[in-house]
Amino acid sequence: MTYVVTENCVRCTYMDCVDVCPVDCFRASDFMLVIDPDECIDCAVCEPECPANAIHSGDEPGMERWVAFAAEHAGEWPEITAKAEPPMDADAWNGVEGKFAAVFGSAR
């Protein structure tokens, strides 16, 4: 199974996870990252690197929607292979409930 990026990445996008990924499976939008489920090798090195605790195993209960979201967008969003600067207001958005719907227009 793949690892997935969940709602708390929205507007935080710290990207510490990108630097440790051995297969460069992260994709980026202006608002969050996803992990390409076809490229993820399930190594788990990204999970502990996420300061926002937004990365989880796709095998965990409730992660199906994030696996589907990643599969939908991984082919559309560009690959990111190196950490970039997070948004200036990343810390202010960390832990905010409902931010996925605010940015993407639905609770998904």
Side-chain angles (χ1 to χ4, degrees), residues 11-33:
R11 300 288 309 257
C12 289
T13 321
Y14 292 110
M15 295 181 260
D16 298 60
C17 52
V18 173
D19 275 345
V20 298
C21 181
V23 294
D24 296 331
C25 62
F26 281 89
R27 307 294 180 261
S29 75
D30 290 338
F31 301 104
M32 76 178 293
L33 304 175

Side-chain angles (χ1 to χ4, degrees), residues 1-94:
M1 181 50 89
T2 185
Y3 273 73
V4 293
V5 178
T6 60
E7 180 175 28
N8 207 39
C9 182
V10 175
R11 300 288 309 257
C12 289
T13 321
Y14 292 110
M15 295 181 260
D16 298 60
C17 52
V18 173
D19 275 345
V20 298
C21 181
V23 294
D24 296 331
C25 62
F26 281 89
R27 307 294 180 261
S29 75
D30 290 338
F31 301 104
M32 76 178 293
L33 304 175
V34 294
I35 296 171
D36 186 331
D38 292 332
E39 293 188 20
C40 179
I41 59 172
D42 202 26
C43 68
V45 298
C46 59
E47 184 179 27
E49 296 301 317
C50 179
N53 194 31
I55 299 176
H56 302 278
S57 171
D59 288 336
E60 291 178 26
M63 294 297 123
E64 301 84 9
R65 69 183 232 177
W66 296 108
V67 173
F69 181 79
E72 178 182 344
H73 295 288
E76 301 169 356
W77 295 355
E79 181 180 273
I80 183 168
T81 60
K83 180 180 177 178
E85 287 297 315
M88 290 177 55
D89 61 351
D91 290 340
W93 283 98
N94 192 358

